Every structure is written in C-alpha cells, then in structure tokens.
Amino acid sequence: MRSFDEIWKIAADRKGGEAAVEAALQYPKTRDEIAATPDDRFLATMTRCIFQSGFNWKVVEAMWPGFEAAFDGFDIGRCAMLHDEDFERLVSDSRIVRHGHKIRSVQENAVFLAALAREHGSAARFFADWPADNYMGLLDLLKKRGSRLGGNTGQYFLRFAGIDSFILSQSVVNRLIAEGVVDKQPSSAKDKAAVQAAFNIWRAQSGRSLTEISRLLGISID
C-alpha cells in the first residue's frame, strides 16, 4: 500500500499540482460545529439523502421547501409521533415525493434520533463524539438502528451532515483496489476492517481527516 504522500503525488500529477489537489478537497465540520447542530437538521439531512437515493437529486432539491413544510421543519418530537392518518395525508401531499416507504422512514429515523438524544444528551453530541477510527462501526450502527440508511445513503448522510467520513464511490474503491486493500467493493466484515485500517494509517501519516483522504483517493483515479 502506498503512503499518503505517494498518493498525493499521483493526484498532483493528474490534476496539475498540489494547489489544484488542495482546492479539490472537502473538509468536515469541527466537533464543536457538529455538537451545536440542532437534531432536526440531522433528520432533515437523512431524509434528503433517502429521497435522493435512486431518484433525481435536482427534483428533490427543488421540492425541498415543501418537504420542510410537510414535515414541520423535521421537528423530532412531531415526526416521531406520526400516525396512520398522517401517513395517508403525506402520501397524497404534492409538495413532496410521494414514496410511502421513504415517508415512513422519516418517522422511524425521528424515533432513532430521539433514542440517541436520550442516550447521549443529543443526537448531535453522539455524532460529534464518535471516533473517526471506527467510521465503519458508525455505518453499521446507522444501518442497524436507522431506517434506509445502509449502503451509500448512510455515507452521503454523514458527508452532507459534515461528519468526518469517507464515501466508497467507485473511484475511491478503485484506488483501494490499486493499493491492494481490497479486490472489490467492500461488503464483508474483513474487507470493511481492511478499509478502515488503511484510512487510519493514512490519517496517522498525514494528520488529514477521513473526508480529505476520501476525496484525495477519488481524484487520484478520476
């Protein structure tokens, strides 16, 4: 496996220099910024990612004010208490994408976030305190306790929420394959552990975040 500096050089050679690489990177929010985020914004971000999955992102973006109105600003308490009559109303609400299972996920994820708040003081504090060296564990938790937050959806949620994260896009996976970390899209526990270990090594070598490293891996291939 190449070092962080070696992969950086590959990316710089492809993109026209170190300044171009730096400009292409993305950065996570600070722990304090994450901890200060209202829990309803996590529910909103989860919902946006869920509805965008397998759908036209621009359509969801254009309809987003309608989503905010339909779900009462994603108030955790109100969304957690949605009942059958609410679902019947929402699946007919033209302000949102009328996908029954995804609408149901709003209520289920509100319950999930409310549980995190009871356990940790706030969902924001839970996400702020989660260790980056066990990012794969956080993805597993989202899949297990959340609704429709497995696979890429959970990864995009964490990225868009500003939480330190990597996204296993095809370009990132191709770099991981080139480095001998995995030989395909990681799905087994063994492969996921290998990916986490590789990112942890690159973090230690560089002092960079998972978010920055993820982006670097992608542009070293693209």
Side-chain angles (χ1 to χ4, degrees):
M1 188 175 87
R2 291 178 179 88
S3 69
F4 176 89
D5 286 344
E6 289 172 315
I7 297 173
W8 180 278
K9 185 177 186 306
I10 291 171
D13 289 343
R14 292 181 63 85
K15 296 299 180 181
E18 293 192 5
V21 173
E22 195 71 58
L25 298 184
Q26 295 173 307
Y27 304 88
K29 292 180 179 179
T30 67
R31 290 179 64 184
D32 287 345
E33 288 173 329
I34 295 167
T37 302
D39 285 354
D40 62 81
R41 292 303 87 197
F42 291 110
L43 181 58
T45 304
M46 286 177 176
T47 302
R48 188 187 295 248
C49 291
I50 288 167
F51 275 87
Q52 286 176 333
S53 178
F55 196 70
N56 188 316
W57 287 32
K58 291 183 179 179
V59 171
V60 175
E61 186 69 27
M63 298 178 72
W64 195 250
F67 277 85
E68 290 280 353
F71 291 105
D72 296 309
F74 294 98
D75 179 88
I76 300 295
R78 291 181 182 178
C79 289
M81 295 298 290
L82 290 173
H83 49 73
D84 288 344
E85 290 182 2
D86 294 313
F87 291 119
E88 290 176 8
R89 169 178 53 82
L90 287 164
V91 295
S92 300
D93 193 328
S94 62
R95 295 174 297 177
I96 65 174
V97 177
R98 289 165 284 181
H99 186 299
H101 293 302
K102 292 186 177 185
I103 291 170
R104 178 74 65 173
S105 76
V106 178
Q107 188 267 340
E108 293 167 344
N109 283 324
V111 171
F112 167 44
L113 290 169
L116 291 181
R118 288 194 301 272
E119 295 162 9
H120 302 277
S122 69
R125 174 52 60 188
F126 166 79
F127 288 120
D129 289 345
W130 189 273
D133 62 3
N134 186 28
Y135 171 72
M136 281 296 191
L138 181 54
L139 291 180
D140 288 342
L141 183 143
L142 290 176
K143 181 178 180 180
K144 180 179 180 180
R145 296 185 60 181
S147 176
R148 304 181 75 91
L149 292 174
N152 288 341
T153 304
Q155 295 171 41
Y156 280 111
F157 156 65
L158 294 172
R159 176 63 58 83
F160 293 155
I163 297 162
D164 196 13
S165 56
F166 53 79
I167 293 177
L168 294 173
S169 64
Q170 191 57 59
S171 57
V172 170
V173 172
N174 286 345
R175 173 51 62 192
L176 292 169
I177 292 171
E179 299 310 313
V181 177
V182 292
D183 58 10
K184 62 182 185 309
Q185 182 77 26
S187 57
S188 68
K190 179 180 178 181
D191 282 351
K192 291 178 181 179
V195 170
Q196 183 72 66
F199 271 89
N200 290 347
I201 289 170
W202 289 320
R203 283 181 70 237
Q205 290 173 344
S206 66
R208 299 271 186 166
S209 65
L210 298 178
T211 304
E212 293 168 84
I213 295 167
S214 175
R215 182 63 178 150
L216 174 68
L217 299 188
I219 63 177
S220 73
I221 289 287
D222 286 343

